[in-house]
Amino acid sequence: MDPRIDDAIAQRVGARRVIPRWEFRHLRAPGYVRVGSGLVLTTCSLLTLSLGGDDAKTYEWAVAFLVLAALTSPRGAWELMIARSAADPIARVCEAS
């Protein structure tokens, strides 16, 4: 393996190891997309429950949509939180002093 790649991987710490490089440089867009898709999945679940009927298949689909929403939305919120904390370090220094 190329030693430059090993050095680049060793320099990545914390959230940078979990999040792919391209995505870490553009955290806001994937974060908003994930939160938005969580809202869409929650809406799909509510529509399925309200219009789907009373059989078990309706509840299975609703739970599946909610599980996907529960997995997607927190990741997007986490990415947005990272993007906000890394957005303007100079402003944070000015506010602290």
Side-chain angles (χ1 to χ4, degrees), residues 7-92:
D7 291 339
I9 292 173
Q11 291 175 355
R12 296 175 71 187
V13 294
R16 291 176 187 245
R17 285 186 180 218
V18 178
I19 302 172
R21 252 179 225 206
W22 178 89
E23 192 173 335
F24 195 82
R25 281 185 256 135
H26 307 90
L27 276 178
R28 290 188 195 277
Y32 284 127
V33 167
R34 284 195 172 100
V35 170
S37 64
L39 291 172
V40 168
L41 286 166
T42 303
T43 304
C44 288
S45 175
L46 293 174
L47 286 173
T48 303
L49 283 174
S50 64
L51 303 173
D54 290 335
D55 57 342
K57 199 170 206 178
T58 300
Y59 296 111
E60 290 171 4
W61 276 105
V63 167
F65 287 138
L66 283 176
V67 166
L68 289 174
L71 294 174
T72 304
S73 294
R75 170 87 187 248
W78 178 61
E79 288 177 350
L80 290 174
M81 186 172 48
I82 293 171
R84 279 190 210 111
S85 68
D88 196 7
I90 295 172
R92 284 187 287 146

